[in-house]
Amino acid sequence: MVCLGNICRSPLAEGILRSKLPKTHFFIDSAGTSGFHNGSPPDPRSIEVAQKNGINIDNQKSRPFRADDFESFDLIFVMDSSNHRNVLKYAKSEKERQKVNLILDYPGSKTKEVPDPYYGGDKGFESVFKLIDAGCDYHSQRLIKTI
Ligand code: 4NP
């Protein structure tokens, strides 16, 4: 799961997807295209909205996305088209490029972009949670079928 800072959106996406998939078959992580917040815990507003929905993300730590994530992971979900462009800069082959998906790119989604909630209020985090949760529902149902 990848966003810009790895403190607001992708920590939520990591926690939400993990809650929908069996630990025995899936390893889920998150990263930021920037290293601005390297080592920091998630934004308190993300921690709060996750907690309200029964998901604990307290122990996560921000880290930058790395080229070798393309080797470590089968799939890479990005939150918006800017993340998409930035992650693709690290791809070394068509196979790697094809691993990258916008998390909201699924049939029936009203938008393809998870907006950056960093400069907004708490309401932005509620709507971001709902968008990411819907994307994770779709992708987790597909992924479970691959086991
Ligand atoms: P995120 O949100 O990409 O969802 O983690 C942001 C967090 C921090 C910044 C931008 C976006 N920042 O500019 O510091």
Side-chain angles (χ1 to χ4, degrees):
M1 296 300 194
V2 180
C3 62
L4 173 61
N6 190 211
I7 55 166
C8 297
R9 291 165 293 177
S10 56
L12 282 173
E14 177 187 332
I16 293 169
L17 188 64
R18 184 176 293 128
S19 77
K20 296 180 192 290
L21 289 172
K23 276 189 191 46
T24 45
H25 289 75
F26 294 94
F27 177 76
I28 299 152
D29 195 12
S30 65
T33 57
S34 80
F36 298 158
H37 298 274
N38 194 11
S40 298
D43 187 286
R45 296 164 295 179
S46 282
I47 292 179
E48 191 186 341
V49 74
Q51 206 159 40
K52 266 199 204 162
N53 289 277
I55 291 167
N56 185 310
I57 61 168
D58 304 19
N59 294 328
Q60 293 186 32
K61 274 203 170 62
S62 174
R63 71 160 175 95
F65 183 81
R66 305 182 292 261
D68 72 5
D69 285 321
F70 273 109
E71 286 144 45
S72 309
F73 295 91
D74 299 316
L75 281 173
I76 296 167
F77 291 105
V78 293
M79 302 299 121
D80 64 30
S81 47
S82 162
N83 308 150
H84 197 243
R85 280 193 298 280
N86 286 320
V87 163
L88 285 177
K89 289 179 191 162
Y90 293 92
K92 295 182 294 296
S93 64
E94 186 54 28
K95 188 179 166 217
E96 290 188 351
R97 278 188 282 280
Q98 283 178 1
K99 291 185 176 188
V100 189
N101 304 272
L102 282 161
I103 192 167
L104 297 185
D105 189 6
Y106 64 89
S109 178
K110 291 200 181 78
T111 173
K112 289 213 162 73
E113 310 276 322
V114 181
D116 180 350
Y118 188 59
Y119 294 105
D122 291 352
K123 263 199 134 173
F125 282 75
E126 299 274 354
S127 71
V128 156
F129 185 95
K130 288 196 182 104
L131 288 171
I132 294 173
D133 189 54
C136 288
D137 256 343
Y138 175 80
H139 296 294
S140 64
Q141 282 166 31
R142 284 178 67 101
L143 286 166
I144 279 173
K145 289 183 192 147
T146 67
I147 298 178

